[in-house]
Amino acid sequence: EDGVKNALIKYGVIAKNYDYSFFYSERINIDEITEIVNTHTFLSAPAASLDRIEITYGKNCVVLSPKDKQKFVKQLCDISANHIRVNI
């Protein structure tokens, strides 16, 4: 697991699934991710900073703040069987 920890926030990429937790846990199939973009939204999210990325998958999205955005996004793109639109 190559994850990032900030307080109670944890992100990790495991095989074809992406896990994150922030008082609750969620698992996303990486192949369902369609887009990753920069965002500075103030919306409540499992993100420790305002320098965030928004990950869209299916009809849902999640906002995160990985320590190394470039590395994290590259890892997701390398694992996904589908093309992920990236704008970071």
Side-chain angles (χ1 to χ4, degrees), residues 24-68:
Y24 62 91
S25 294
E26 184 74 32
R27 177 166 282 181
I28 299 169
N29 182 325
I30 293 172
D31 290 338
E32 293 178 7
I33 297 173
T34 56
E35 185 175 40
I36 302 173
V37 297
N38 272 328
T39 184
H40 297 286
T41 182
F42 287 101
L43 293 175
S44 177
S49 124
L50 290 179
D51 186 18
R52 302 168 169 187
I53 57 173
E54 181 176 293
I55 297 174
T56 302
Y57 60 100
K59 295 181 180 182
N60 302 302
C61 67
V62 63
V63 176
L64 305 172
S65 61
K67 186 174 181 180
D68 184 338

Side-chain angles (χ1 to χ4, degrees), residues 8-10 20-25 44-47:
L8 295 175
I9 301 171
K10 180 178 179 182
Y20 70 90
S21 63
F22 182 71
F23 300 115
Y24 62 91
S25 294
S44 177

